[in-house]
């Protein structure tokens, strides 16, 4: 056992310290890369490609030490201990192995404006907006600016820090649908979060070694401000110079300046969606911002449904729903990302490439999502939630759980009083990061390597006006159009200020890895692919839990009551004649949506009304959006769908 390990974390259990050495017949002593010592793990055991990636990163970032992550429990304990000692996480003794991290208040969400796709030609990465219009479907960066951006930020950025090497698999290790990445990071918070969010460690390194598979290179540093002054010691970052870079041609991700969620856990949005969507386009499958759930009907039949809602619009809640309709059962496969591929029979199959949930905390409660509440009391890393004096967590939506003696500390670390404080206790984008296996309704097939069969795809968003609770697309092409025309009220999951209705096609606006026009062509091409294999296409629906009445109140109770909508969708998948044609699609025919025993009176007429003036404006807005943002990249089939919708609405 090389003694250098001792001076990093001591004492260290022998069994953990040298996982890689164990498998070696002749351990080498060259645990040193370009003058930087490896304090955990063994270089000699690493695949050459990983070694090269580490060497390049060491030369660039100049860390003091290197730690090759093995993913063991004991290693994780040491990491959490070190984070606690550094004041970066606070234990939550009310639960089992749960922790709270408070970020720098300037680092609380994804930064879409600083997120770039790098390709030779701009048109590969993004659509060409109309002259004078600012594009909103991703940002392009040239190869030269990409290199410059790295050279302005990374040289020496890990001085005084340890560089962690995290091998991880998106999808179960060894599954034909899975893909591998290696994230190099100087954040222990990232390592601990990646342990929850992805399969990571020695088993993945073995996979790279034994199968010589390619991996996505992910380089991440929390950075240090140019003036060298770190604002919040326990959460170093460099908000001024944050940048998130993707180079699909090299399967490479480079992220600087933020420690937060989608900016730093590079397996998630950067890999599974942005790089993932480019791989999917090449290989003929779909990488989507979608939950996956299983729904079992009272007669025992089970179907799987995937659903795309923009960030903070209800994916986790739907994926873990407790149905109010008797005899129904919902099981969760995933809450954020789906990788979907047609099998040899033309059946669309989906895997959840993740291993955990990075869920929005506010609004999560025993009433709205008891399954999430049961998931997060063990092995969970919370970020920016409030804390209670008895060592628990608190956020908006949990008011009922407080007793009067409990004192609250808000997400910034200040005392907070219910009904007294004017600011929220938890940051609106505060999150829980929990292992999926702790979810009481995790689907028995959630790790099946061939994926689960998908019968329907749902699109949805926050639409306070005009958009009915549910409607079905007329066919696949119409469904793809519905996805392309999705709009939603902005939320706290990104850096936007204030509420406005924003286009968010396929809930993927911040996550496209390539030109949205080509993405649409790819979606349209799925129908041929499926038919050639002899399969049936999944049906496409649009749902809206967020319609409001004149008093600004939600018209539909949502959450578990959404099982009523799933019941109707399930009947439609079975071909039951329970629909009525409207200009925008098929809605439930009178009496076919089960509303018996709802706690409050619902104005069904209002909930399903399709106001002509609203839809005329909607059609015009979509046309403007396509003209301004997509231009000549828009497939003619999608324009034809919009024309047809316009004609139908005008005839109303
Ligand atoms: N009114 C209403 N609110 C809902 C419903 N479902 C979810 N919400 C609220 O929407 C917010 C976000 O919900 P999530 O399920 O965490 O959203 P998400 O799509 O998983 O978000 P990301 O993790 O950012 O991708 C929470 O405040 C929920 O309480 C619903 O059916 N009705
Ligand atoms: O990426 C993140 O930080 C969290 C998330 O799931 C989203 O915003 O959709
Ligand atoms: Mn998400």
């Amino acid at each position: 056992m090389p003694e250098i390990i001792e001076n990093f974390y001591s004492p260290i259990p022998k069994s953990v310290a040298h996982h890689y050495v164990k498998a070696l017949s002749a351990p080498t002593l060259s645990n040193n890369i370009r003058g930087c010592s490896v304090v955990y793990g063994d270089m000699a055991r690493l695949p050459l490609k990983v070694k090269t990636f580490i060497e390049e990163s060491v030369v660039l970032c100049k860390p003091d030490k290197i730690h090759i992550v093995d993913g063991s429990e004991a290693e994780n304990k040491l990491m959490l201990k070190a984070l606690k000692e550094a004041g970066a996480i606070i234990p939550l003794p009310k639960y089992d192995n749960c922790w709270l991290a408070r970020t720098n208040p300037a680092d609380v969400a994804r930064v879409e404006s600083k997120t770039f796709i790098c390709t030779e030609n701009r048109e590969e990465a993004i659509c060409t907006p109309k002259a004078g219009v600012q594009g909103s479907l991703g940002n392009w960066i040239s190869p030269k600016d990409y290199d410059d951006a790295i050279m302005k930020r990374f040289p020496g950025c890990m001085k005084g820090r340890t560089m962690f090497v995290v091998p991880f698999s998106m999808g179960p290790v060894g599954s034909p649908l899975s893909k591998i990445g290696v994230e190099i990071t100087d954040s222990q918070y990232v390592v601990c979060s990646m342990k929850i969010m992805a399969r990571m460690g020695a088993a993945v390194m073995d996979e790279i070694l034994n199968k010589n598979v390619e991996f996505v290179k992910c380089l991440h540093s929390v950075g240090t401000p140019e003036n060298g002054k770190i604002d919040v010691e326990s959460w170093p970052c460099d908000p001024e110079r944050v940048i998130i870079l993707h180079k699909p041609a090299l399967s490479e991700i480079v992220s600087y300046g933020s420690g937060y969620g989608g900016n730093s856990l590079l397996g998630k949005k950067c890999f599974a969606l942005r790089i993932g969507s480019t791989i999917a386009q090449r290989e003929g499958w779909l990488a989507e911002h979608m939950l996956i759930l299983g729904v079992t009907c009272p007669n025992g039949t089970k179907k799987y449904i995937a659903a795309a809602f923009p960030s903070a619009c209800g994916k986790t809640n739907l994926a873990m729903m407790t149905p109010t309709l008797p005899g129904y059962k919902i099981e969760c496969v995933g809450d954020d990302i789906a990788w979907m591929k047609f099998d040899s029979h033309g059946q669309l199959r989906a895997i959840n490439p993740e291993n955990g949930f990075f869920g929005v905390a506010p609004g999560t409660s025993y009433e709205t999502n008891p399954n999430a509440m049961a998931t997060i009391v063990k092995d969970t890393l919370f970020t920016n939630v409030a804390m209670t004096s008895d060592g628990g967590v608190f956020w908006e939506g949990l008011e009922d759980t407080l007793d009067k003696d409990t004192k609250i500390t808000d997400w910034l670390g200040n005392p907070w009083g219910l009904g007294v404080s004017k600011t929220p206790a938890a940051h609106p984008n505060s999150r829980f990061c929990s292992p999926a296996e702790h979810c009481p309704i995790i689907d028995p097939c959630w790790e099946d390597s061939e994926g689960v069969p998908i019968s329907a795809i749902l699109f949805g968003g926050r639409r306070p006006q005009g958009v009915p609770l549910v409607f079905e697309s007329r066919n696949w092409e119409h469904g793809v159009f519905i996805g392309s025309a999705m709009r939603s009220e902005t939320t706290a999951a990104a850096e936007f200020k204030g509420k406005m209705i924003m286009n968010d096609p396929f809930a993927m606006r911040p996550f496209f890895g390539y030109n949205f026009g080509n993405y649409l062509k790819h979606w349209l091409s799925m129908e041929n692919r499926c038919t050639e294999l002899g399969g049936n296409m999944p049906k496409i629906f649009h749902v809206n839990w967020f319609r409001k009445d004149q008093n600004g109140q939600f018209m539909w109770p949502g959450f578990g009551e959404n099982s009523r909508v799933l019941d109707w969708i399930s009947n439609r998948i079975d071909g039951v004649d329970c629909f009525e044609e409207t200009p925008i699609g098929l809605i439930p025919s009178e009496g076919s949506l089960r509303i018996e025993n709802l706690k409050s009176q619902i104005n069904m007429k209002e909930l399903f009304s399709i106001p002509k003036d609203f839809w005329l404006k909607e059609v015009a807005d979509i046309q403007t959006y396509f003209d301004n943002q997509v231009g000549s990249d828009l497939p003619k089939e999608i324009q034809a769908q919009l024309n047809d919708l316009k004609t139908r609405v005008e005839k109303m």
Side-chain angles (χ1 to χ4, degrees), residues 110 261-262 268-269 289 311 336 358 431 493 511:
R110 282 181 293 100
K268 198 174 180 52
K269 299 301 157 85
H289 191 200
S311 299
D336 200 50
F358 187 68
R431 300 265 170 172
F511 309 121

Side-chain angles (χ1 to χ4, degrees), residues 461-482:
R462 290 176 182 262
R463 297 304 306 263
Q465 254 94 57
V467 181
L469 179 65
V470 57
F471 60 95
E472 180 186 331
S473 71
R474 302 152 68 91
N475 51 48
W476 182 255
E477 225 170 78
H478 182 224
V480 176
F481 162 74
I482 290 172

Side-chain angles (χ1 to χ4, degrees), residues 409-423:
T409 308
D410 74 7
W411 69 281
L412 293 160
N414 301 318
W416 187 91
L418 181 60
V420 184
S421 299
K422 295 276 180 294
T423 48

Side-chain angles (χ1 to χ4, degrees), residues 108-112 197 260-265 268-270 273-274 289 309-312 315-316 335-337 354 358-360 429 431 491-494 507 510-511:
V108 294
R110 282 181 293 100
V111 277
E112 296 177 8
M197 294 308 297
Y260 201 88
N263 300 328
S264 70
L265 313 178
K268 198 174 180 52
K269 299 301 157 85
C270 299
L273 291 180
R274 297 196 193 94
H289 191 200
F309 312 150
S311 299
K315 287 184 299 301
T316 304
D335 80 325
D336 200 50
I337 298 174
E354 300 192 282
F358 187 68
V360 181
N429 192 39
R431 300 265 170 172
T491 67
F511 309 121

Side-chain angles (χ1 to χ4, degrees), residues 266-282:
L266 301 186
K268 198 174 180 52
K269 299 301 157 85
C270 299
F271 179 167
L273 291 180
R274 297 196 193 94
I275 296 291
S277 64
T278 68
I279 301 174
Q281 186 206 23
R282 258 195 327 268

